[in-house]
Amino acid sequence: MGEDTDATPTLNHRGFLPDHNYVTEADIISTVEFNHTGELLATGDKGGRVVIFQREPESKTEPFSQGEYNVYSTFQSHEPEFDYLKSLEIEEKINKIRWLPQQNAAHFLLSTNDKTIKLWKVSERDKRPEGYNLKDEEGRIKDISTVTSLQVPVLKPMDLMVEVSPRRVFANAHTYHVNSISVNSDYETYMSADDLRINLWHLDITDRSFNIVDIKPANMEDLTEVITAAEFHPHHCNLFVYSSSKGTLRLCDMREAALCDKHSKLFEEPEDPSARSFFSEIISSVSDVKFSHSGRYLLTRDYLTAKVWDLNMESKPLETYQVHDYLRSKLCSLYENDCIFDKFECAWNGSDSVIMTGAYNNFFRMFDRNTKRDVTLEASRESSKPRAVLKPRRVCAAGGKRRKDDISVDSLDFTKKILHTAWHPTENIIAIAATNNLYIFQDKLNSEMH
Amino acid sequence: MSATTAMEVNVEARRILAVSISKLYASRTQRGGLRLHRSLLLSLVMRSARDIYHSSRESEGPSGAQPATEEPMDTSSNPGEQTRLSEPQQEPQPALNSAEMAPEEPDNTEDCCDGEITEDKENLSPTRQSRKRRGKASAAPDFLPSKRARLEPGEERYAAPLGSCRVGAGESLTTLSLNRVIPAF
């Protein structure tokens, strides 16, 4: 499975200095998302920029250099803002990017920071009109006396230019920090979720939104849980799911009521009383939730595990995968260095047979749901020469039996965390964000999904 | 639970509480404003650390240095009657002193110093009724130094050197953090 993964050249568009460990904070990648065909890959960073990569079409002359991703467009999506009423600075960090399904030649994506969602149009221009009557090629106004005849301007080819323009700005709808956006399968609406509320928007209307979930208690002192992620069902436009900091998932049906505070289904695993510790609540908080492509399953990630849930079974998850259980005894130190608050994302492959999520030390893990095999791989410059095959890694407990190339728990670098990963919708291509570097791996031998 | 294990849990709970409070104060100055999710998780950890601390002290029972007179915590209890263990005060102090509370709360430092100097006026009786309302959830661990200087039973009054002035957190701060961390912004 993962053992045959090839590495394409690391796409470092940031300016990483190999001699130093210094990383500009603005360059830290904060979200990664393929579009619906996988032709485009968008990344957002802490500095509010979005970089879009495009896959080169397969070359007939060189069949092995199929589809590498190159930079297509870069633009500044969000700027830092200041809320004067609350004396708060609003970070420009891009929390999420979601692509709209393509309906014409242009591409559209939604990007959001803590407070404002923006719809961007990405279009190509490869022709320009030439032969104006009143102005010359440089745009200078012609002297009228020199114009002796009329000509019709014609479109001539030009170098490809990618233009990005903001088409909509959806602002002032969230009191708390936006953590998720999700486009509905009706292609007309989308939702945005913050810590306590979820709003439903129409893509064409920016001055109002509908509040569909509100879990803010009357008295904030009674607050016990917040919304951590939300997503629409891939096929049923009335269904969506949201996860909470308590580790629960709620499936809501918008047909039942205007305000979906009451869930249709509640997915919750009973807590194991023997595993209780100071940090039980923190590690059970769900950091990401994703519907499977089929719409039949849910994938969730909490601090130590990834779980697959069947929509028809609310009592417990269908499968539980240990991502890095060796950290369970280290929760106190991870609390002190703030790592316990890290929010890892998770991803399905196109056929819903493999799930993937990140970990520390630039490791990421893949679990095959059918064979029950799992693999740990590393995204690093040293181990990812172009065309190199990734070597599986292993973490052994401190003091345990060590094989060559194993790494012990105590040697893990907790500053190198892979929070954001994405899987191509149909092929075995994955995008891994490791701090300020983006790695794209392709499985050349097993290109077909199975 | 043996006395030693209870003591270990005790120490652990206190340390986690101190770390949590310093994180809470640090998050105030974070860019982007207070994060509700993070503040909630911090307060949950603090609550369970506090609960475990109290339950481990209960299990210590008569082997402890002082009887646990602060149990049960409710609004009717008089916080002024809380006796404090002299021993645990020493341990969390370095943790608290090194925490970011020192630069964050200089006004508390001054209060403490003033309290020390004018202690005669302020501390006429160790059982003085406090006007502050304390909710059920506001049971503050007594090891955290309070804003007002108090006499240990049997202790004589003497001019306290400034070095022993206690920085920052008091019971009121813990109360603040547990109850008010969410509505604080």
Side-chain angles (χ1 to χ4, degrees):
Chain A
M1 181 190 60
E3 289 86 345
D4 306 323
T5 308
D6 280 356
T8 61
T10 307
L11 288 168
N12 177 15
H13 48 90
R14 311 288 183 188
F16 177 68
L17 302 171
D19 295 326
H20 312 279
N21 277 328
Y22 174 73
V23 170
T24 314
E25 200 176 319
D27 294 338
I28 295 174
I29 299 173
S30 51
T31 184
V32 185
E33 184 82 355
F34 280 99
N35 76 337
H36 292 259
T37 59
E39 183 210 351
L40 298 176
L41 174 67
T43 63
D45 66 19
K46 265 191 154 189
R49 287 167 304 200
V50 172
V51 181
I52 303 177
F53 299 87
Q54 185 187 43
R55 192 178 185 193
E56 294 306 315
E58 283 187 39
S59 163
K60 290 185 177 60
T61 52
E62 276 179 79
F64 290 112
S65 74
Q66 103 204 41
E68 289 185 358
Y69 284 83
N70 295 317
V71 178
Y72 180 64
S73 173
T74 305
F75 61 96
Q76 186 76 33
S77 170
H78 287 72
E79 298 273 4
E81 284 173 48
F82 198 80
D83 181 339
Y84 295 99
L85 274 179
K86 293 183 195 164
S87 289
L88 278 183
E89 196 178 355
I90 300 171
E91 274 190 291
E92 67 277 27
K93 172 169 80 89
I94 308 296
N95 291 336
K96 281 286 177 340
I97 290 174
R98 290 286 182 263
W99 290 92
L100 265 55
Q102 191 177 10
Q103 289 177 302
N104 52 39
H107 294 96
F108 288 86
L109 63 80
L110 286 169
S111 67
T112 184
N113 68 348
D114 284 336
K115 298 287 182 189
T116 305
I117 306 120
K118 293 188 185 178
L119 177 69
W120 292 90
K121 177 179 177 184
V122 184
S123 50
E124 292 183 5
R125 188 190 289 273
D126 60 356
K127 296 184 186 54
R128 72 157 177 246
E130 280 178 27
Y132 282 104
N133 291 293
L134 294 177
K135 49 183 181 180
D136 63 20
E137 298 307 306
E138 277 86 53
R140 286 188 298 253
I141 307 286
K142 279 188 197 170
D143 187 356
I144 295 272
S145 55
T146 65
V147 178
T148 51
S149 62
L150 280 180
Q151 58 182 346
V152 178
V154 290
L155 288 175
K156 293 266 173 71
M158 58 177 258
D159 290 335
L160 180 68
M161 207 168 69
V162 180
E163 296 177 327
V164 181
S165 59
R167 305 301 287 176
R168 308 267 186 274
V169 177
F170 305 91
N172 301 321
H174 286 283
T175 312
Y176 301 96
H177 296 104
V178 174
N179 53 55
S180 315
I181 47 174
S182 178
V183 182
N184 202 345
S185 50
D186 66 5
Y187 302 164
E188 284 187 347
T189 57
Y190 76 95
M191 67 166 158
S192 56
D194 67 26
D195 293 315
L196 296 178
R197 299 191 177 101
I198 301 180
N199 294 332
L200 182 71
W201 302 83
H202 191 284
L203 282 164
D204 291 335
I205 299 169
T206 58
D207 60 355
R208 72 199 100 121
S209 64
F210 287 101
N211 175 245
I212 52 176
V213 174
D214 189 340
I215 63 167
K216 185 177 179 189
N219 187 353
M220 279 298 266
E221 290 180 21
D222 301 332
L223 182 76
T224 54
E225 67 182 328
V226 298
I227 297 169
T228 52
E231 194 179 56
F232 268 117
H233 192 281
H235 311 308
H236 303 298
C237 56
N238 56 303
L239 291 179
F240 65 92
V241 70
Y242 71 89
S243 60
S244 83
S245 53
K246 271 191 176 169
T248 63
L249 304 169
R250 284 177 175 79
L251 185 73
C252 299
D253 189 338
M254 294 197 290
R255 292 176 304 193
E256 283 179 0
L259 190 59
C260 300
D261 279 359
K262 286 193 175 45
H263 50 264
S264 288
K265 294 196 181 186
L266 173 68
F267 299 85
E268 189 173 13
E269 185 173 24
E271 196 193 341
D272 179 9
S274 64
R276 192 99 179 72
S277 77
F278 289 115
F279 310 106
S280 303
E281 282 117 343
I282 299 189
I283 64 169
S284 63
S285 175
V286 174
S287 52
D288 193 18
V289 66
K290 293 264 169 45
F291 272 102
S292 64
H293 291 88
S294 61
R296 168 90 193 269
Y297 303 103
L298 283 167
L299 172 64
T300 61
R301 175 75 156 95
D302 53 54
Y303 191 64
L304 295 177
T305 71
K307 294 177 180 167
V308 174
W309 303 75
D310 187 327
L311 242 59
N312 300 319
M313 184 165 72
E314 300 167 62
S315 54
K316 60 181 166 72
L318 198 61
E319 297 144 25
T320 302
Y321 299 97
Q322 301 295 332
V323 180
H324 38 203
D325 203 55
Y326 44 78
L327 297 182
R328 198 176 286 272
S329 52
K330 305 213 175 289
L331 292 179
C332 200
S333 348
L334 293 165
Y335 178 70
E336 285 174 40
N337 66 13
D338 274 354
C339 284
I340 208 174
F341 297 103
D342 287 336
K343 298 195 172 119
F344 291 94
E345 291 175 9
C346 51
W348 294 92
N349 74 339
S351 59
D352 299 336
S353 59
V354 182
I355 61 169
M356 168 173 71
T357 188
Y360 292 105
N361 209 76
N362 279 353
F363 287 167
F364 58 99
R365 304 262 279 137
M366 288 198 228
F367 300 90
D368 189 317
R369 296 178 60 216
N370 300 325
T371 65
K372 299 301 177 201
R373 278 168 49 206
D374 64 85
V375 70
T376 304
L377 299 169
E378 182 179 1
S380 71
R381 286 174 170 270
E382 291 78 36
S383 62
S384 310
K385 302 285 179 290
R387 312 281 176 269
V389 174
L390 277 181
K391 201 174 46 180
R393 303 303 306 269
R394 206 176 81 108
V395 179
C396 60
K401 194 162 180 226
R402 238 189 107 157
R403 288 186 278 182
K404 180 173 162 321
D405 290 338
D406 277 4
I407 183 163
S408 93
V409 182
D410 299 314
S411 326
L412 290 175
D413 188 346
F414 290 96
T415 62
K416 295 190 180 153
K417 48 192 93 169
I418 292 181
L419 303 173
H420 311 287
T421 61
W423 205 311
H424 189 287
T426 51
E427 296 186 37
N428 277 344
I429 303 172
I430 55 178
I432 310 285
T435 317
N436 63 330
N437 288 313
L438 180 72
Y439 292 82
I440 299 182
F441 299 111
Q442 300 192 26
D443 191 351
K444 294 281 166 75
L445 293 179
N446 301 315
S447 302
E448 306 300 314
M449 285 288 171
H450 52 83
Chain B
M1 198 192 286
S2 70
T4 12
T5 328
M7 185 57 87
E8 284 165 9
V9 170
N10 211 327
V11 169
E12 186 69 6
R14 282 202 314 269
R15 197 166 67 82
I16 289 176
L17 261 171
V19 166
S20 307
I21 291 174
S22 71
K23 283 189 193 301
L24 256 178
Y25 279 97
S27 66
R28 276 188 185 178
T29 52
Q30 233 175 36
R31 215 174 149 236
L34 263 175
R35 304 256 151 198
L36 186 66
H37 185 196
R38 189 185 155 98
S39 309
L40 178 69
L41 293 177
L42 280 175
S43 68
L44 287 174
V45 169
M46 278 163 45
R47 218 164 282 204
S48 56
R50 187 203 64 204
D51 293 342
I52 291 176
Y53 170 73
H54 282 312
S55 62
S56 74
R57 281 204 54 217
E58 253 178 70
S59 65
E60 265 175 44
S63 63
Q66 295 282 352
T69 53
E70 71 273 9
E71 300 288 329
M73 275 301 161
D74 56 38
T75 48
S76 60
S77 71
N78 182 356
E81 280 171 346
Q82 287 179 23
T83 54
R84 290 178 307 158
L85 303 174
S86 48
E87 178 207 339
Q89 285 166 4
Q90 308 307 320
E91 287 173 64
Q93 269 184 12
L96 291 173
N97 282 333
S98 63
E100 290 168 42
M101 287 178 306
E104 297 273 351
E105 304 284 320
D107 46 328
N108 285 343
T109 313
E110 289 161 16
D111 283 346
C112 281
C113 289
D114 289 339
E116 294 280 9
I117 292 162
T118 60
E119 58 192 85
D120 275 317
K121 288 185 189 148
E122 293 204 18
N123 297 283
L124 296 171
S125 151
T127 59
R128 195 163 68 100
Q129 294 272 358
S130 167
R131 291 240 181 111
K132 223 174 216 169
R133 272 182 296 128
R134 306 278 168 118
K136 261 202 173 75
S138 73
D142 51 277
F143 60 81
L144 283 179
S146 79
K147 265 188 168 182
R148 296 215 172 107
R150 283 208 200 95
L151 267 188
E152 300 301 307
E155 205 176 39
E156 300 264 352
R157 285 192 189 280
Y158 59 95
L162 275 175
S164 72
C165 174
R166 293 180 187 108
V167 176
E171 285 177 339
S172 53
L173 284 176
T174 313
T175 313
L176 172 79
S177 35
L178 289 182
N179 277 355
R180 308 255 179 258
V181 71
I182 310 299
F185 67 109

